[in-house]
Amino acid sequence: MDGSSNGVIASVLILLGPPGAGKGTQARMLEERFGFVQLSTGDLLRAAVSAGTEAGLRAKAVMEAGELVSDDIVIAILKDRLADPDCAKGVILDGFPRTTVQAEALDTLLEASGQRINGAISLEVDDAAMVTRIAGRYTCAGCGEGWHDSFKQPKTAGVCDNCGGTEMKRRADDNAETVASRLEAYHAQTAPLITYYQNKAVLHRINAMGDIAEIATEMGAIVRGVTQ
Ligand code: AMP
């Protein structure tokens, strides 16, 4: 990553947390509220898999097993996306970095344009609750809004409140077996980043077991504090 193709990005926020912690939901709310771009490497990889690109073909089986895709693939995908003009207004990284190598690559990329991370927010949750959370979640195929069988149901069953769409989809890797691998990968490879960002004095911790709206309010206050 040399950062040469990358312009200045107004703010860079990182959401850390295990699968099911609510990173995607909160990132979407921050996107709407602050005008930042939500950038999910999981979404970018799923798009690459659907498009059948070389990176997608290499990533598919790894994702199905709930393991981490190699750093070189993920860093290349993220770097390309960050160079898009819409990212200049600020980004919320959801699911990246997930390894120390990725975190260091991001620092190098930002340093090349004289920037640094504004804040890393760690969404802290109980592992035991994550399997239930993940097993019940689905998204609207039309607009991407996230829903849940128990915790966030649309007003009319099967109809998206946000766009009126009726096609809902569930992720292939949201099953109990794969979730166990994903949690394991989180603890082994991603949780060390909490200390990494703590040492850089940019870490904020949030108890993410509560109400979605209350967590969003708390996150909003942090984001305002670190981006103004
Ligand atoms: P997510 O949508 O963030 O839960 O990611 C789904 C899957 O994509 C993960 O289980 C990994 O296989 C892969 N993935 C997403 N982001 C990364 C990343 N930053 N590094 C490695 N693998 C990733």
Side-chain angles (χ1 to χ4, degrees):
M1 274 177 144
D2 60 13
S4 55
S5 62
N6 200 44
V8 171
I9 300 167
S11 305
V12 181
L13 296 156
I14 290 168
L15 298 192
L16 289 172
K23 298 186 297 296
T25 303
Q26 294 296 335
R28 280 177 71 87
M29 291 168 93
L30 291 174
E31 180 176 58
E32 274 170 31
R33 189 158 160 205
F34 292 93
F36 300 145
V37 173
Q38 173 195 9
L39 227 161
S40 151
T41 40
D43 285 348
L44 294 172
L45 287 165
R46 281 184 286 279
V49 170
S50 298
T53 65
E54 196 196 324
L57 293 174
R58 283 172 60 195
K60 189 170 186 286
V62 179
M63 293 172 76
E64 281 168 1
E67 291 163 8
L68 293 188
V69 174
S70 70
D71 289 326
D72 60 331
I73 291 183
V74 181
I75 290 168
I77 283 184
L78 182 92
K79 187 183 170 191
D80 271 5
R81 180 65 184 93
L82 277 179
D84 289 342
D86 63 330
C87 290
K89 57 191 175 186
V91 294
I92 306 157
L93 300 180
D94 155 14
F96 184 99
R98 260 172 155 106
T99 64
T100 305
V101 170
Q102 293 177 18
E104 288 169 350
L106 178 63
D107 285 344
T108 305
L109 175 68
L110 294 175
E111 275 159 21
S113 50
Q115 292 182 265
R116 66 191 291 269
I117 285 150
N118 295 69
I121 306 176
S122 170
L123 279 72
E124 316 222 317
V125 290
D126 299 338
D127 260 24
M130 291 308 98
V131 178
T132 321
R133 274 206 198 179
I134 292 175
R137 70 184 185 179
Y138 58 94
T139 52
C140 169
C143 70
E145 184 70 19
W147 300 102
H148 195 281
D149 292 330
S150 311
F151 309 125
K152 190 185 165 205
Q153 296 158 319
K155 290 193 188 85
T156 306
V159 182
C160 177
D161 291 2
N162 196 38
C163 75
T166 53
E167 195 195 329
M168 302 290 171
K169 55 180 187 181
R170 290 181 194 254
R171 280 171 45 175
D173 61 350
D174 277 353
N175 59 72
E177 196 183 318
T178 310
V179 170
S181 304
R182 288 160 64 198
L183 282 170
E184 207 179 299
Y186 174 77
H187 288 292
Q189 292 164 277
T190 310
L193 296 181
I194 294 174
T195 306
Y196 181 91
Y197 289 118
Q198 196 165 31
N199 291 342
K200 290 183 179 286
V202 292
L203 183 76
H204 300 261
R205 293 172 186 267
I206 282 199
N207 175 352
M209 288 306 292
D211 178 70
I212 292 174
E214 282 169 19
I215 297 165
T217 304
E218 208 180 322
M219 302 228 353
I222 294 171
V223 171
R224 252 197 321 278
V226 300
T227 57
Q228 284 176 355

